[in-house]
Amino acid sequence: MTSRQGGGIVETRSVTFSPGTVLTASGACAALPELTVAFETYGTLNAAGDNAILVCHALTGNAHAAGLASPDPRSLGWWDPMIGPGRPLDTDRYCVIASNFLGGCYGTTGPTSLNPRTGTRYGMTFPAYSVRDMVHVQKALLDHLGVTSLVAVIGGSLGGMQVLEWPLCYPAMVRSIIPIATAAQHSAWCIGLNDLTRQAIMMDPAWKNGAYDPSAQPTAGLSLARQIAMVTYRSDISFDRRFRRDVAAAGPDGREQLFEVERYLRYQGEKLVARFDANTYLYITRAMDAHDVAAGRGTLDEVLGSIRVPSLNIGISSDILYPAHEQRAIAAALPRPVYREIDSPDGHDAFLIAYDQLGPFVHGFLKEIP
Amino acid sequence: MTSRQGGGIVETRSVTFSPGTVLTASGACAALPELTVAFETYGTLNAAGDNAILVCHALTGNAHAAGLASPDPRSLGWWDPMIGPGRPLDTDRYCVIASNFLGGCYGTTGPTSLNPRTGTRYGMTFPAYSVRDMVHVQKALLDHLGVTSLVAVIGGSLGGMQVLEWPLCYPAMVRSIIPIATAAQHSAWCIGLNDLTRQAIMMDPAWKNGAYDPSAQPTAGLSLARQIAMVTYRSDISFDRRFRRDVAAAGPDGREQLFEVERYLRYQGEKLVARFDANTYLYITRAMDAHDVAAGRGTLDEVLGSIRVPSLNIGISSDILYPAHEQRAIAAALPRPVYREIDSPDGHDAFLIAYDQLGPFVHGFLKEIP
């Protein structure tokens, strides 16, 4: 693997595993005739294979974490300010690896993939999978790449759930963890919110119990799901600063006069519809809701207490989805925690916005990890 | 009007006004061939007509604020612990008046009413109305009842918006105001959330652009709207205390295993569908979103600064919809404010739950109002 220059074009690559090569908690992968994993790497893996950092993405993310996917400057990776030479995840020092998780719709096998046994898309026949399954698939990818040990596993939101699962699934592989704005057990609050988004998708007649044609997915339902989520990703203060009570130039159908905030949310809904799949959204939110690091392992305190590596736990002051008090509670149960809080009005999304705070937190922590 | 004994049965009464007798800001009432207002009273109006307190209800509320509607103990009014002999709104001293607001679906003329000109329900042909229109209709009711002056106007949420409009529409009628967990200008945050609920309703094919048969309203859409709202009425802490990660006995369709929080939210959705109307929900949320006490009157500070009567402003520590900081800002702009905060994990709904705190706040304030 070769080093990438900051701002260069990065190609998403993929590897396909044959049946049975990937261990999974739920047996999801064993049921698949083949499993392809999409990934990107930034920086160079050393000969010992022990300078890698794994970046885990959130609900609608993908393997394209940094650099440009094409000459289009809008194709920049979703965490580009965090990854590159001299950046917090310093590619002069580390080999940073990002992959689309199991069951995603960005190149890794999931509900939108063709089932080679039937020649049709899996859709709702795709096996249910868990956050642990995502981790097992990432492990297979790391083995394939020659990674022997991870300096750190880092991610926010659903990415942070994978981060917490990593040292529990593969304790010998992980030297530190950085869970950001996440959950050790998905809360009733978040489960309830996720269920609203599922109901929105399934209420759309175009969903057709998941058997929709790829060219005619349930756009209204998926758009509403995204809008429900978007509101919870931000805060009242950030919305009021940005939109106030401004009126949009014109309603999209010409009839209705919308407030600017309504126009913005609908636009965000449409944007997701253009790049994501409704069935995949259902599967991933179910995996999030089932997420519980303690399941089958002991009490929550025992399980978190068994994670012996240093952890950097990052909360966000205005996060209403995975509140700062939840991050402090996770840190308190971990044996070697550092807790840092992003002071921001931008809510949960601050881990994708407040790089001026997030970057130094991560940089300061990583330099102490041997 | 005669006094009610605590726990007695209270009948909702109504009065019908002829066209043109009610002043409205938007002309909504002028367009109506007749206007009926449903109301209840508790306690006795004195000869001077100046011992009345007006209670304003929230989005899905009604005129039945206290006492039983029938021998069924579940028919208790929505704010019963606040209203009665010796209670914070003491019916031994005050005549407490509650009415269903203009455009409601509990006896006051609204989208579910028959249009006498056509013999069919108004539905989406009902004129748009504002929070100010609600206040003008309440004024007509008070005139009809012989009320000359209000000791106080009190209400939470949308009720509080009416409370803030009252001394601006009829300054000579009001001796004090008690706005609870509300807005002087509906925020971008709340507008965004309301729009999600409207989209849920309008996405349901059974909505039929509002022309649904009363026996076949858009149940899935209205249910989802209610569930979106319900989550914002509570908090992460209250949800986690109540539901944890408990699994429901069985999913409603027998196929899907639901978490208890999902079952609860769906149950709440169904409950609203059984007692509320989808078009009415659209109209009321639009009235909330248009709410702005400053509109047409000056700057927000000037307008709130012109309210010369004492105010008791009540915030709720965990309210994510109308946050405590918003209540403190309203209080800071009012000339004679008292600010009290309900310390509760129950979110916005605490004004319907935390009577042990709300009651003393209101009692302590009212005893100083001559």
Side-chain angles (χ1 to χ4, degrees), chain A residues 166-189:
Chain A
W166 251 99
L168 295 166
C169 292
Y170 298 102
M173 274 286 282
V174 182
R175 307 213 292 283
S176 76
I177 57 171
I178 309 179
I180 306 168
T182 189
Q185 302 176 311
H186 216 223
S187 69
W189 177 249

Side-chain angles (χ1 to χ4, degrees), chain A residues 220-242:
Chain A
L222 181 56
S223 168
L224 181 55
R226 177 61 163 183
Q227 294 177 64
I228 293 169
M230 278 298 298
V231 172
T232 67
Y233 295 160
R234 300 299 174 103
S235 81
D236 64 304
I237 292 172
S238 66
F239 263 42
D240 282 330
R241 284 187 188 167
R242 180 163 180 176

Side-chain angles (χ1 to χ4, degrees), chain B residues 165-183:
Chain B
E165 278 289 345
W166 251 99
L168 295 166
C169 292
Y170 299 103
M173 275 286 282
V174 182
R175 307 213 291 282
S176 77
I177 57 171
I178 308 179
I180 306 167
T182 189

Side-chain angles (χ1 to χ4, degrees), chain B residues 21 45 51 81 93 104 123 132 148 182 196 261 264-265 281 283 295 307 309 312 342:
Chain B
T21 52
L45 190 67
N51 71 328
R93 191 168 169 191
R132 290 182 195 176
T148 58
T182 189
L196 303 181
V261 63
Y264 169 81
L265 286 172
Y281 201 100
Y283 273 85
I307 299 177
V309 296
L312 169 60
I342 295 172

Side-chain angles (χ1 to χ4, degrees), chain B:
Chain B
M1 286 180 286
T2 55
S3 180
R4 165 185 89 83
Q5 295 306 306
I9 291 178
V10 184
E11 200 182 341
T12 303
R13 290 176 286 163
S14 67
V15 56
T16 299
F17 298 100
S18 51
T21 52
V22 180
L23 173 73
T24 72
S26 67
C29 295
L32 297 172
E34 64 180 29
L35 172 61
T36 297
V37 180
F39 66 95
E40 295 191 6
T41 65
Y42 323 97
T44 307
L45 190 67
N46 63 16
D50 65 2
N51 71 328
I53 291 178
L54 180 67
V55 171
C56 302
H57 68 75
L59 208 172
T60 69
N62 53 42
H64 181 52
L68 293 165
S70 74
D72 184 342
R74 290 170 302 182
S75 70
L76 209 58
W78 58 269
W79 230 18
D80 188 79
M82 290 294 289
I83 303 166
R87 294 185 182 173
L89 306 182
D90 186 350
T91 51
D92 287 341
R93 191 168 169 191
Y94 306 116
C95 176
V96 178
I97 299 168
S99 65
N100 185 214
F101 53 52
L102 171 67
C105 55
Y106 280 99
T108 294
T109 303
T112 60
S113 304
L114 283 182
N115 180 347
R117 291 189 184 120
T118 63
T120 59
R121 301 203 324 163
Y122 285 102
M124 295 301 285
T125 70
F126 199 79
Y129 52 85
S130 67
V131 175
R132 290 182 195 176
D133 293 328
M134 296 175 184
V135 167
H136 292 309
V137 172
Q138 287 161 351
K139 172 64 161 56
L141 171 66
L142 297 184
D143 289 347
H144 165 77
L145 294 173
V147 174
T148 58
S149 171
L150 290 165
V151 179
V153 191
I154 184 171
S157 201
L158 170 53
M161 298 178 207
Q162 298 157 59
V163 170
L164 288 171
E165 278 289 345
W166 251 99
L168 295 166
C169 292
Y170 299 103
M173 275 286 282
V174 182
R175 307 213 291 282
S176 77
I177 57 171
I178 308 179
I180 306 167
T182 189
Q185 302 177 310
H186 216 223
S187 69
W189 177 249
C190 288
I191 294 170
L193 284 162
N194 268 350
D195 194 50
L196 303 181
T197 66
R198 286 189 291 266
Q199 289 184 55
I201 289 169
M202 296 189 291
M203 204 178 93
D204 188 332
W207 180 57
K208 299 179 177 171
N209 293 313
Y212 52 83
D213 187 89
S215 65
Q217 70 161 336
T219 54
L222 181 57
S223 168
L224 180 54
R226 176 61 164 183
Q227 294 177 65
I228 294 168
M230 277 298 299
V231 172
T232 67
Y233 295 161
R234 300 300 173 103
S235 81
D236 64 304
I237 293 173
S238 67
F239 263 42
D240 282 331
R241 283 187 189 167
R242 179 162 180 177
F243 305 113
R244 294 168 305 199
R245 291 179 49 79
D246 294 348
V247 167
D253 58 3
R255 289 182 308 136
E256 208 177 3
Q257 183 64 68
L258 295 180
F259 286 98
E260 181 60 19
V261 63
E262 298 174 286
R263 188 206 58 75
Y264 169 81
L265 286 172
R266 292 175 191 206
Y267 170 70
Q268 292 297 327
E270 287 164 19
K271 258 178 54 175
L272 188 78
V273 166
R275 72 174 182 86
F276 213 78
D277 169 62
N279 286 338
T280 304
Y281 201 100
L282 299 177
Y283 273 85
I284 297 173
T285 55
R286 277 282 176 219
M288 294 169 77
D289 291 351
H291 169 67
D292 177 359
V293 295
R297 289 174 175 146
T299 69
L300 182 61
D301 277 349
E302 286 167 3
V303 172
L304 290 177
S306 75
I307 299 177
R308 302 284 172 196
V309 296
S311 63
L312 169 60
N313 301 267
I314 301 177
I316 298 161
S317 58
S318 57
D319 193 339
I320 60 167
L321 206 49
Y322 302 95
H325 68 76
E326 190 171 4
Q327 311 315 307
R328 287 191 292 266
I330 295 171
L334 288 168
R336 297 172 65 186
V338 174
Y339 178 73
R340 293 281 180 269
E341 194 161 303
I342 295 172
D343 181 19
S344 164
D346 287 319
H348 184 60
D349 267 357
F351 82 93
L352 303 167
I353 297 170
Y355 295 114
D356 57 327
Q357 295 176 70
L358 179 62
F361 291 161
V362 170
H363 175 76
F365 175 79
L366 282 178
K367 73 181 181 197
E368 305 297 330
I369 304 300

